[in-house]
Amino acid sequence: MTAALVLPASASAGAPDVAALQVALRIRGTYGGGIDGIFGPETQTAVRRFQRSQGLIVDGDPGPRTRAAFGRFARHRLGTRLLRSGRFGWDVAALQHLLVRCGFTVGGIDGFFGPRTRTVVVRYQHRASLVVDGVAGAATIRGLRRALGCRELKGTVPSGVTVSGVGIGGLSAHWASIALRSAFAEPLHLAARGRGWLVDPNQFGRAEVATAVRRALHARTGAHFPLRVAVQWRRVRRYTARIDSRLCRPPVPARLVGLRSLRPSISPAHAGCHVRRVLVRRALIRDLIRLERSVIHVNMKRLLPAVTRANFGPVIVIHRNSHRLYLYRGVKLVRVLAVGTGRRSSPTPLGRFKILTKARRPWWYPPASAWANGAGPIPPGPGNPLGTRWMGISAPEVGIHGTPDAASVGYSRSHGCVRMYRRQAEWLFRRVRIGTPVMIVPV
């Protein structure tokens, strides 16, 4: 660490190493201020907090031992290596600060050389007439340190001038720019479910600091006007969507797990939530434009599951060998009905199925089986083997239906279907729906 880091704020303002220190402190969770490169009281307090957490001498001086405690992040100083896409660390954060000081927007000073940082490096190299390769080497860093190609404003702001509540009256153009960038760099504070976090405002918009300072230089004494911010709406929308996916989950409906002691076992339902994205976006934009940062409480709506144990629909459990059909409403038994099941040569299948089709006054069509050879379709009527109601299940060519042969109910005489008395089939038909689960067990 250079001695510049421990100089008063007036002497070290805008130092790239200070900005890198602030990024390192923020990553470690001890700093919540803006990445402005100013070693002020807030930064020094964060250094002390970090030193205390690492068992170091607590003096607020970010010397070599303190810097070493940041580990891999602080391994490289600016200028000790080529910086290209994928690099991460102290030197990248310092580079990003120099680019911001030169009037570029990197989408947040975070120490990561991503696509946005590379694009800005290319733009700077174009402006400064350097070799354009998107890599920050010695020439690029030297040019940024000398403000080569950076648009420097000259003059002094008239007294009493404020921009979005920040007083810059009497300051030189250089210091007025630093004051506004520092104010805008204060992170946005979000909170939800008892915890809070910080977000870099630079990833959502670009503060038009140069325009504001230029306007302030020609303003009347005591003038007040807002700082314009070019909002990146797409990034704001993406961020609120990301918050939603991290904080909330969709509701989980109750579902049929299986049978327990031959009765339906239903899992509990769980409520979900979703973030009111429009409200959060409005709050983000409001605090982004205003330089007074307030806590943004993420507004969420609780979502109740459509299906719970209390309103779970019908469940059919068929005891094949006992020739009984049990209709449940959730786990509550509604009625027990006598049925006929498949004979030994074509037994009713066992397992878990669901009702796929329902038909009133169905036609009977002969299946592709030897026992139906030569048979033709039978229209609805007294002689139809399906009776007056058909409830087809997900087993091939198997269903629950009425029968004109009432004597077969209670026995195993069908070709795999579940037969019922006509009136009882009509009663059941009215109480089940497409998708109703059907469990067939051997008992």
Short mmCIF file of all heavy atoms in Angstrom, two decimals, residues 16 36-37 44 49-50 65 69 85 92 117 131 143 195 226 230 258 309 321 326 330-331 351 382 389 410-411 429 432:
data_model
loop_
_atom_site.label_atom_id
_atom_site.label_comp_id
_atom_site.label_asym_id
_atom_site.label_seq_id
_atom_site.Cartn_x
_atom_site.Cartn_y
_atom_site.Cartn_z
N PRO A 16 -7.10 5.87 -7.31
CA PRO A 16 -7.58 4.55 -7.74
C PRO A 16 -7.32 3.46 -6.72
O PRO A 16 -8.12 2.53 -6.58
CB PRO A 16 -6.83 4.30 -9.05
CG PRO A 16 -5.66 5.24 -9.03
CD PRO A 16 -6.09 6.42 -8.26
N ASP A 36 -15.73 5.82 -4.38
CA ASP A 36 -15.41 7.15 -4.89
C ASP A 36 -13.93 7.47 -4.85
O ASP A 36 -13.51 8.55 -5.30
CB ASP A 36 -16.19 8.22 -4.12
CG ASP A 36 -15.97 8.11 -2.61
OD1 ASP A 36 -15.03 7.40 -2.19
OD2 ASP A 36 -16.74 8.73 -1.85
N GLY A 37 -13.10 6.59 -4.31
CA GLY A 37 -11.66 6.84 -4.26
C GLY A 37 -11.25 7.88 -3.24
O GLY A 37 -10.13 8.39 -3.30
N GLN A 44 -12.06 4.84 6.52
CA GLN A 44 -11.13 4.52 7.59
C GLN A 44 -11.80 3.67 8.67
O GLN A 44 -11.20 2.73 9.20
CB GLN A 44 -10.57 5.80 8.20
CG GLN A 44 -9.42 5.53 9.17
CD GLN A 44 -8.72 6.82 9.59
OE1 GLN A 44 -9.39 7.76 10.01
NE2 GLN A 44 -7.40 6.85 9.49
N ARG A 49 -12.66 -1.74 11.11
CA ARG A 49 -13.56 -2.88 11.31
C ARG A 49 -12.97 -4.15 10.71
O ARG A 49 -13.03 -5.22 11.30
CB ARG A 49 -14.92 -2.56 10.69
CG ARG A 49 -16.05 -3.45 11.15
CD ARG A 49 -17.37 -3.01 10.53
NE ARG A 49 -17.77 -1.68 10.97
CZ ARG A 49 -17.99 -0.66 10.17
NH1 ARG A 49 -17.89 -0.78 8.87
NH2 ARG A 49 -18.35 0.52 10.67
N PHE A 50 -12.39 -4.02 9.51
CA PHE A 50 -11.77 -5.17 8.86
C PHE A 50 -10.55 -5.65 9.65
O PHE A 50 -10.36 -6.86 9.85
CB PHE A 50 -11.36 -4.81 7.43
CG PHE A 50 -10.60 -5.88 6.72
CD1 PHE A 50 -11.24 -7.04 6.29
CD2 PHE A 50 -9.24 -5.76 6.50
CE1 PHE A 50 -10.53 -8.05 5.64
CE2 PHE A 50 -8.53 -6.75 5.86
CZ PHE A 50 -9.18 -7.91 5.43
N ARG A 65 0.25 -5.28 5.63
CA ARG A 65 -0.36 -6.43 6.30
C ARG A 65 -1.88 -6.42 6.13
O ARG A 65 -2.49 -7.49 5.94
CB ARG A 65 0.00 -6.41 7.79
CG ARG A 65 1.46 -6.73 8.07
CD ARG A 65 1.71 -6.91 9.54
NE ARG A 65 3.09 -7.25 9.81
CZ ARG A 65 3.60 -7.49 11.02
NH1 ARG A 65 2.80 -7.39 12.09
NH2 ARG A 65 4.88 -7.80 11.17
N ALA A 69 -4.19 -9.23 3.98
CA ALA A 69 -5.31 -9.97 4.57
C ALA A 69 -6.49 -10.09 3.62
O ALA A 69 -7.38 -10.92 3.84
CB ALA A 69 -5.76 -9.28 5.87
N SER A 85 -10.06 -9.44 -20.43
CA SER A 85 -11.32 -10.08 -20.03
C SER A 85 -11.06 -11.27 -19.13
O SER A 85 -10.19 -12.12 -19.40
CB SER A 85 -12.09 -10.53 -21.27
OG SER A 85 -12.48 -9.40 -22.03
N VAL A 92 -7.94 -4.37 -11.24
CA VAL A 92 -9.10 -4.16 -12.10
C VAL A 92 -10.01 -3.08 -11.50
O VAL A 92 -10.52 -2.20 -12.21
CB VAL A 92 -9.88 -5.47 -12.32
CG1 VAL A 92 -11.12 -5.22 -13.17
CG2 VAL A 92 -9.00 -6.53 -12.96
N THR A 117 -16.53 -3.66 -19.07
CA THR A 117 -15.25 -2.98 -18.85
C THR A 117 -14.40 -3.01 -20.11
O THR A 117 -13.75 -2.02 -20.46
CB THR A 117 -14.51 -3.64 -17.68
OG1 THR A 117 -15.31 -3.55 -16.49
CG2 THR A 117 -13.17 -2.98 -17.42
N VAL A 131 -3.39 2.20 -29.10
CA VAL A 131 -3.66 0.94 -29.80
C VAL A 131 -4.95 0.35 -29.25
O VAL A 131 -5.09 0.15 -28.04
CB VAL A 131 -2.49 -0.05 -29.60
CG1 VAL A 131 -2.83 -1.40 -30.24
CG2 VAL A 131 -1.21 0.52 -30.19
N GLY A 143 -1.97 6.54 -19.73
CA GLY A 143 -2.84 7.58 -20.29
C GLY A 143 -3.97 7.94 -19.35
O GLY A 143 -4.32 9.13 -19.21
N ARG A 195 -33.20 -8.90 6.31
CA ARG A 195 -31.80 -8.70 5.94
C ARG A 195 -31.70 -7.63 4.87
O ARG A 195 -32.66 -7.38 4.13
CB ARG A 195 -31.16 -10.01 5.46
CG ARG A 195 -31.68 -10.52 4.15
CD ARG A 195 -31.04 -11.85 3.78
NE ARG A 195 -31.43 -12.32 2.47
CZ ARG A 195 -30.79 -12.04 1.36
NH1 ARG A 195 -29.70 -11.28 1.40
NH2 ARG A 195 -31.19 -12.51 0.19
N PRO A 226 -31.50 19.47 -10.70
CA PRO A 226 -31.25 18.04 -10.46
C PRO A 226 -30.09 17.49 -11.29
O PRO A 226 -29.74 18.04 -12.33
CB PRO A 226 -32.57 17.38 -10.88
CG PRO A 226 -33.10 18.30 -11.95
CD PRO A 226 -32.69 19.69 -11.54
N ALA A 230 -28.99 8.83 -16.77
CA ALA A 230 -29.44 8.00 -17.90
C ALA A 230 -29.67 6.58 -17.37
O ALA A 230 -28.72 5.84 -17.11
CB ALA A 230 -28.39 7.99 -19.01
N GLY A 258 -49.29 -41.20 -2.29
CA GLY A 258 -49.53 -42.64 -2.46
C GLY A 258 -50.59 -43.08 -1.46
O GLY A 258 -51.48 -42.30 -1.10
N ARG A 309 -54.57 -29.60 1.34
CA ARG A 309 -55.19 -30.81 1.90
C ARG A 309 -56.68 -30.61 2.13
O ARG A 309 -57.48 -31.53 1.99
CB ARG A 309 -54.50 -31.18 3.21
CG ARG A 309 -53.15 -31.88 3.04
CD ARG A 309 -52.50 -32.11 4.38
NE ARG A 309 -51.36 -33.00 4.29
CZ ARG A 309 -50.53 -33.24 5.29
NH1 ARG A 309 -50.75 -32.66 6.47
NH2 ARG A 309 -49.51 -34.05 5.14
N ASN A 321 -59.31 -57.41 -5.39
CA ASN A 321 -59.77 -58.74 -4.96
C ASN A 321 -61.01 -58.64 -4.08
O ASN A 321 -61.78 -59.61 -3.98
CB ASN A 321 -58.65 -59.47 -4.21
CG ASN A 321 -57.44 -59.73 -5.11
OD1 ASN A 321 -57.57 -59.67 -6.33
ND2 ASN A 321 -56.30 -60.02 -4.51
N TYR A 326 -63.49 -47.28 -3.36
CA TYR A 326 -63.56 -46.29 -2.28
C TYR A 326 -63.36 -44.90 -2.90
O TYR A 326 -62.32 -44.63 -3.53
CB TYR A 326 -62.47 -46.53 -1.23
CG TYR A 326 -62.65 -47.83 -0.46
CD1 TYR A 326 -62.34 -49.06 -1.04
CD2 TYR A 326 -63.12 -47.82 0.85
CE1 TYR A 326 -62.50 -50.25 -0.34
CE2 TYR A 326 -63.28 -49.01 1.56
CZ TYR A 326 -62.97 -50.22 0.95
OH TYR A 326 -63.13 -51.39 1.65
N GLY A 330 -60.04 -35.92 -0.83
CA GLY A 330 -58.79 -35.76 -0.11
C GLY A 330 -58.52 -37.03 0.68
O GLY A 330 -58.38 -38.12 0.11
N VAL A 331 -58.47 -36.92 2.00
CA VAL A 331 -58.25 -38.11 2.83
C VAL A 331 -59.55 -38.55 3.52
O VAL A 331 -59.56 -39.52 4.27
CB VAL A 331 -57.16 -37.84 3.90
CG1 VAL A 331 -55.83 -37.57 3.25
CG2 VAL A 331 -57.55 -36.67 4.81
N GLY A 351 -51.82 -50.52 -9.92
CA GLY A 351 -50.94 -49.36 -10.01
C GLY A 351 -51.67 -48.06 -9.83
O GLY A 351 -52.81 -48.00 -9.35
N PRO A 382 -79.90 -49.93 -24.11
CA PRO A 382 -80.00 -50.94 -23.04
C PRO A 382 -78.98 -52.06 -23.18
O PRO A 382 -78.52 -52.62 -22.17
CB PRO A 382 -81.42 -51.47 -23.18
CG PRO A 382 -82.17 -50.39 -23.89
CD PRO A 382 -81.19 -49.74 -24.80
N ARG A 389 -72.45 -44.63 -18.58
CA ARG A 389 -71.34 -43.74 -18.27
C ARG A 389 -70.02 -44.48 -18.45
O ARG A 389 -69.89 -45.65 -18.09
CB ARG A 389 -71.42 -43.20 -16.84
CG ARG A 389 -72.67 -42.39 -16.52
CD ARG A 389 -72.69 -41.07 -17.26
NE ARG A 389 -73.81 -40.25 -16.87
CZ ARG A 389 -75.01 -40.27 -17.45
NH1 ARG A 389 -75.23 -41.12 -18.48
NH2 ARG A 389 -75.99 -39.48 -17.04
N GLY A 410 -69.37 -57.37 -8.26
CA GLY A 410 -68.97 -58.13 -7.08
C GLY A 410 -68.16 -59.35 -7.42
O GLY A 410 -67.74 -60.10 -6.52
N TYR A 411 -67.90 -59.55 -8.73
CA TYR A 411 -67.14 -60.73 -9.19
C TYR A 411 -66.07 -60.28 -10.18
O TYR A 411 -66.05 -59.14 -10.63
CB TYR A 411 -68.08 -61.75 -9.83
CG TYR A 411 -69.12 -62.28 -8.88
CD1 TYR A 411 -70.38 -61.67 -8.80
CD2 TYR A 411 -68.85 -63.35 -8.04
CE1 TYR A 411 -71.35 -62.14 -7.92
CE2 TYR A 411 -69.81 -63.83 -7.16
CZ TYR A 411 -71.06 -63.21 -7.11
OH TYR A 411 -72.00 -63.67 -6.22
N PHE A 429 -69.82 -40.65 -11.72
CA PHE A 429 -69.48 -39.82 -12.88
C PHE A 429 -69.60 -38.33 -12.54
O PHE A 429 -68.79 -37.52 -12.99
CB PHE A 429 -70.43 -40.18 -14.04
CG PHE A 429 -70.09 -39.53 -15.35
CD1 PHE A 429 -69.25 -40.16 -16.25
CD2 PHE A 429 -70.63 -38.30 -15.70
CE1 PHE A 429 -68.95 -39.56 -17.47
CE2 PHE A 429 -70.34 -37.70 -16.90
CZ PHE A 429 -69.49 -38.33 -17.79
N VAL A 432 -66.40 -37.09 -10.12
CA VAL A 432 -64.99 -37.15 -10.51
C VAL A 432 -64.79 -36.26 -11.73
O VAL A 432 -65.74 -35.80 -12.34
CB VAL A 432 -64.55 -38.60 -10.81
CG1 VAL A 432 -64.67 -39.47 -9.58
CG2 VAL A 432 -65.34 -39.18 -11.98
#
